[in-house]
Amino acid sequence: MKTFCGRANPTTGALDWVEESEEYDYHQEIARSCYADMLHDHDRNEKYFQGIRAAVSRVKARGEDVVVLDIGTGTGLLSMMAVTAGADFCYAVEVFKPMAEAARCIVEKNGFSDKIKIINKHSTDVTVGPDGDMQVKANVLITELFDTELIGEGALPSYEHAHQNLVQDACEAVPHRATVYAQLVESELLWSWAQLQPVEVGGARLAPPPALGRCAGAHSVCDVQLSQVPPGGFAPLGPLCTVFQVDFSRPVSSAFASSSARFAARASGRAQVVLSWWDLDMDPGGTIVCSMAPSWTYPQPQGAPWRDHWMQSVYFLPAEVEVTEGDELVLTGCHDDYSLWFNLQTQRLQDSSPSSPPSLSSRPSCSCLAHLVWNRPRFGELNDRRRTRSFVSALRSVLREDSVCLSVSDGSLLPVFAHMLGAKKVFALENSRMSKQVIEQVLEGNSLKGGVELLEVRAEQLSISDLGGEQVSVLMGEPYFSTSLLPWHSLFFWYCRTALAGLLRPGASILPRSASLHMVAVEFQDLWRIRAPCGTCEGFDVTPMDEMVQRSLDFRESREAEPHPLWEYPCRALTESCAVMTFDFTQCVPEQPISSQGSLPLTRVGRCHGVALWMEYQLTEDVTVSAGLTGPITEQGDCDWTRHRKQGVYFLRSPWDSSGDGRAAVSYSFTFEPSSGDIKMDFSVTSQ
């Protein structure tokens, strides 16, 4: 069945009515899922298998039949492990209907249909009894309900309900126990994701508004591949502490709880950030451990397991705290049913009175609005001094005493910079009232109120009267828009520029004056796993999962690039980088499509998994800002990516082994469709 859905177009800004199947969202969910990543996580699978075998053996040693409850079964892999280990029967619960269907196919294909029952429900809706979903309560509980924060997918309420209704009192749980670790650190890099820092503009200092400095920030966890933050990127102020332990074999509570770790500060510095990860003990003795620790905690970092479905967590303290080596510190971790947060108390050796503890029982929440307008990479971008210098330099080169400036970006400081640099008048279009209020706070906090007029109006609705009867001499943007997912979505600036053409003075400066789309063919160290076929996993045939994912990919109108922050996912360039399309912002959006074709020779040895794509913005003739590579590719092909923006990744249907002699090449074809703002792309590898 087809239906028409209204979708906001992030590039054109228009509301597009698209004819889609009622199963579109299902297919999108499957195509972008992390199931392949989990199935390729050999360390996870092996530890689960070992823990399941041990639990089944313990129950059998008691002379009992083994009845398993597998909550969040996914592909059914853990249920098949349980039956292989000797379980008599398994109830496998999966709430996502397409996955439940895939699990039925996989279980049947592997010959386990008589011992595994797939239940397509949320576990809290499962019933036990003669007419229920389960005939009897289980004595082995297997779950994979965890996310990077451990409890963010509702693990605690699910366990709480299971122990009350679905499992026996003496059940064995796999995993048996979870331990959450935390370490207090100082990190200029990480703290730049949480608070706006002062910046020098034209000899003057732009300070963050007081409300932002007092704000506890966003409550949501910052999940990150902490292995890619080098040890030099932070300074530990205390030891690695155990803050929580959860025994899953006993009744679990989802109520608020807190736990504190007391220690002496190991160094002086600014306590700003808590790094956190967790381990799973698959057995009561803790001999089978699946760890989420970052690679730099391992004696041999290259041997650390890689996974994307579970990463590490970064928590920001409500405010940075100056500590002195030897100070007695109390780090308190709190959790409710879905999230964790941390607070810090300090006590000087010479002072018997501890600092006043903040409220613990409620999650930190944003009171300044900035953390709701700017996500964490955006904070980092605004705090990037090098990037700011580029924009200030570009603005200096185009501003005149009589300049009338108009800024088109979301929550941008560019209009503030223009005012500080002496522009006659500065206007800024803001996409939301909240964003407008944040910039108003910046202006008021720096006694610049009235220097910038913020207009909560769309570009096509703006009139000359809104600008006080004056035409625009400098149209500027970063460009940054909160609705952008893929790099080229920022071409929304071009559509706004086109809508504003009638308000521009003849010869008006456009900043940036152009943008270019760049590409490079790459070999991923690990990211390829999220799209690699699974086939056989731990001895079980899971090809129905591959078939379902492929159907979902084919269901789309065309294959698409995906947004990924490539600084977290190391890759090697196998070709040189190349600008494949240029968009001239000094002109309006053309009516006809723009096309580009060509090829890049594979000049380095490696396995080509796909293509990385990003935008670069030419602010002026002399100043360019990259939203992708931050420097030249090394001779070995190593790439350094910006931490502020996501890049596009297009995975090849099949990887290509490059000999590096240049005889093989990645052919590309791009077409920019002005009517829709889409960039259609296709890649193939050919050899001579």
Side-chain angles (χ1 to χ4, degrees), residues 183-188 190-192 194-195 197 213 234-238 263-275 314-325 327-332 342-348 355:
Q183 186 168 39
L184 182 69
V185 304
E186 174 183 2
S187 174
E188 182 179 352
L190 300 177
W191 189 244
S192 73
Q195 293 289 345
Q197 306 300 321
F234 59 89
L237 300 179
F263 53 89
R266 292 185 172 180
S268 299
R270 295 170 297 160
Q272 300 166 322
V273 174
V274 176
L275 309 182
V314 174
Y315 296 92
F316 303 100
L317 293 178
E320 61 181 356
V321 179
E322 290 284 347
V323 300
T324 302
E325 183 177 359
D327 285 353
E328 185 176 342
L329 306 179
V330 180
L331 182 65
T332 301
F342 290 88
N343 286 291
L344 181 70
Q345 293 173 256
T346 64
Q347 182 173 302
R348 297 277 194 263
S355 59

Side-chain angles (χ1 to χ4, degrees), residues 132-408:
D133 302 300
M134 300 170 58
Q135 296 298 299
V136 296
K137 289 186 176 182
N139 51 17
V140 173
L141 175 60
I142 301 172
T143 59
E144 210 284 50
L145 300 171
F146 314 115
D147 68 348
T148 292
E149 202 173 16
L150 183 70
I151 64 174
E153 291 186 1
L156 294 181
S158 296
Y159 271 111
E160 187 173 42
H161 176 270
H163 276 287
Q164 292 173 353
N165 301 279
L166 306 178
V167 300
Q168 300 175 19
D169 291 340
C171 84
E172 299 280 350
V174 182
H176 178 83
R177 180 189 307 110
T179 304
V180 179
Y181 300 97
Q183 186 168 39
L184 182 69
V185 304
E186 174 183 2
S187 174
E188 182 179 352
L189 166 64
L190 300 177
W191 189 244
S192 73
W193 298 349
Q195 293 289 345
L196 191 64
Q197 306 300 321
V199 61
E200 297 294 326
V201 180
R205 184 174 185 268
L206 183 67
L212 202 157
R214 296 191 300 267
C215 181
H219 70 267
S220 58
V221 64
C222 176
D223 54 343
V224 66
Q225 289 283 0
L226 208 51
S227 296
Q228 300 309 313
V229 177
F234 59 89
L237 300 179
L240 186 65
C241 304
T242 298
V243 289
F244 287 112
Q245 275 199 333
V246 184
D247 186 342
F248 296 124
S249 68
R250 297 180 179 179
V252 172
S253 173
S254 61
F256 167 84
S258 65
S259 176
S260 297
R262 185 181 297 269
F263 53 89
R266 292 185 172 180
S268 299
R270 295 170 297 160
Q272 300 166 322
V273 174
V274 176
L275 309 182
S276 181
W277 58 86
W278 44 268
D279 288 351
L280 295 176
D281 290 337
M282 295 297 182
D283 65 322
T287 61
I288 308 168
V289 182
C290 186
S291 177
M292 305 309 121
S295 62
W296 37 257
T297 65
Y298 284 71
Q300 296 182 318
Q302 65 274 16
W306 181 88
R307 34 189 153 241
D308 202 44
H309 54 105
W310 295 329
M311 292 185 274
Q312 294 79 41
S313 300
V314 174
Y315 296 92
F316 303 100
L317 293 178
E320 61 181 356
V321 179
E322 290 284 347
V323 300
T324 302
E325 183 177 359
D327 285 353
E328 185 176 342
L329 306 179
V330 180
L331 182 65
T332 301
C334 308
H335 76 79
D336 54 19
D337 49 350
Y338 281 92
S339 59
L340 283 79
W341 61 94
F342 290 88
N343 286 291
L344 181 70
Q345 293 173 256
T346 64
Q347 182 173 302
R348 297 277 194 263
L349 291 178
Q350 302 84 0
D351 182 8
S352 60
S353 59
S355 59
S356 300
S359 174
L360 300 179
S361 59
S362 59
R363 291 186 299 184
S365 60
C366 176
S367 58
C368 72
L369 302 181
H371 299 92
L372 305 179
V373 169
W374 297 325
N375 60 23
R376 292 183 176 97
R378 178 61 172 162
F379 267 100
E381 188 168 63
L382 294 171
N383 288 324
D384 187 332
R385 295 183 181 90
R386 180 180 175 183
R387 185 176 184 275
T388 296
R389 285 195 297 269
S390 294
F391 276 98
V392 170
S393 174
L395 281 171
R396 281 183 182 277
S397 70
V398 300
L399 288 179
R400 304 290 181 265
E401 289 185 0
D402 63 345
S403 291
V404 176
C405 302
L406 176 61
S407 174
V408 181

Side-chain angles (χ1 to χ4, degrees), residues 392-442:
V392 170
S393 174
L395 281 171
R396 281 183 182 277
S397 70
V398 300
L399 288 179
R400 304 290 181 265
E401 289 185 0
D402 63 345
S403 291
V404 176
C405 302
L406 176 61
S407 174
V408 181
S409 280
D410 290 350
S412 176
L413 298 179
L414 278 189
V416 185
F417 296 167
H419 172 65
M420 295 175 71
L421 292 171
K424 175 186 172 184
K425 287 187 178 181
V426 183
F427 300 90
L429 300 187
E430 286 295 345
N431 73 332
S432 71
R433 182 157 300 174
M434 193 180 298
S435 180
K436 179 182 174 184
Q437 289 174 319
V438 169
I439 303 302
E440 284 175 342
Q441 288 183 60
V442 174

